[in-house]
Amino acid sequence: AVLNEVSVDRGPSPLLTNVDVYCDDRFVLSSQGDGIILSTPTGSTAYSLAAGGSMVHPDVPGILLTPICPQTLSFRPIVFPDSVTLRLQVPDNATEVGWCSFDGRNAMALQKNWSVTVVSSKWPIPIMKPADVENDWFQGVMDSLNWNVRKAQGALDKGFERAVSGDEASQQLAAGGVAQKHQGGAKQRAGVPA
């Protein structure tokens, strides 16, 4: 059982790995790259996110498939319903064995034609928190990953606002003078003569 993800990757090999993906025994895709991650919604903010996968709210029942450095620009993450059975198989024509790990642990070699089957548990893992804790999933993502945190844009320079106001601005803009006047003001503020 895993909490975050199952991955099949190239392991210590410098070569690309090949992984075939099946959903309910139906062939879905063949991947060539560094590997494939199948993550839970909880695991979507771990290895899968670092590999370019989407964050999935824990209340969304699904399995997220994320490619690891695929050798194609068209391969994007996909969310499967949690009712499916997914199978990752190292194909017979693979250049190397694959390496399967469970929450980043217990790595084992997957020989050609070997596979790992992933299904969602019928019994969710109960998560407990103290009664006085108010943080929700969004706050946790903001706190731990600095999600949606950026430096706010400041106000425009007062000298620039004066330079572009009135009829004079139209003439200066046409002549390119506004940008020069603004750049000159920046040099003067920095102590450099214009």
Side-chain angles (χ1 to χ4, degrees):
V2 299
L3 179 63
N4 292 317
E5 76 273 323
V6 173
S7 64
V8 174
D9 57 43
R10 61 187 178 96
S13 173
L15 302 174
L16 297 175
T17 189
N18 300 87
V19 180
D20 290 342
V21 178
Y22 296 85
C23 178
D24 293 332
D25 289 324
R26 182 184 184 276
F27 176 78
V28 176
L29 63 93
S30 185
S31 169
Q32 184 172 22
D34 284 355
I36 298 279
I37 302 166
L38 293 178
S39 70
T40 66
T42 300
S44 72
T45 56
Y47 187 19
S48 175
L49 181 64
S54 297
M55 292 188 293
V56 179
H57 193 281
D59 289 342
V60 175
I63 303 171
L64 178 62
L65 183 147
T66 305
I68 308 169
C69 299
Q71 197 181 28
T72 177
L73 294 176
S74 62
F75 193 171
R76 296 288 176 251
I78 183 171
V79 178
F80 289 93
D82 69 344
S83 59
V84 301
T85 298
L86 295 173
R87 181 165 42 100
L88 303 179
Q89 182 171 335
V90 177
D92 189 37
N93 62 351
T95 55
E96 280 286 332
V97 299
W99 286 84
C100 184
S101 62
F102 309 89
D103 282 341
R105 298 186 177 106
N106 304 322
M108 59 178 285
L110 287 181
Q111 303 298 325
K112 294 178 183 181
N113 287 324
W114 286 19
S115 64
V116 60
T117 301
V118 175
V119 295
S120 289
S121 174
K122 295 176 186 173
W123 302 277
I125 296 174
I127 308 266
M128 298 185 313
K129 67 175 185 164
D132 60 343
V133 173
E134 295 291 328
N135 290 352
D136 62 1
W137 181 78
F138 294 103
Q139 189 63 49
V141 171
M142 285 185 247
D143 292 345
S144 61
L145 300 175
N146 287 325
W147 178 60
N148 203 28
V149 175
R150 67 176 187 89
K151 185 177 179 181
Q153 180 177 343
L156 289 176
D157 182 307
K158 291 291 184 193
F160 181 71
E161 288 175 9
R162 278 194 303 273
V164 296
S165 64
D167 292 333
E168 181 185 343
S170 300
Q171 296 167 357
Q172 289 180 347
L173 186 59
V178 172
Q180 291 172 357
K181 191 178 257 187
H182 180 62
Q183 289 173 352
K187 287 180 184 176
Q188 288 173 355
R189 283 190 303 280
V192 178

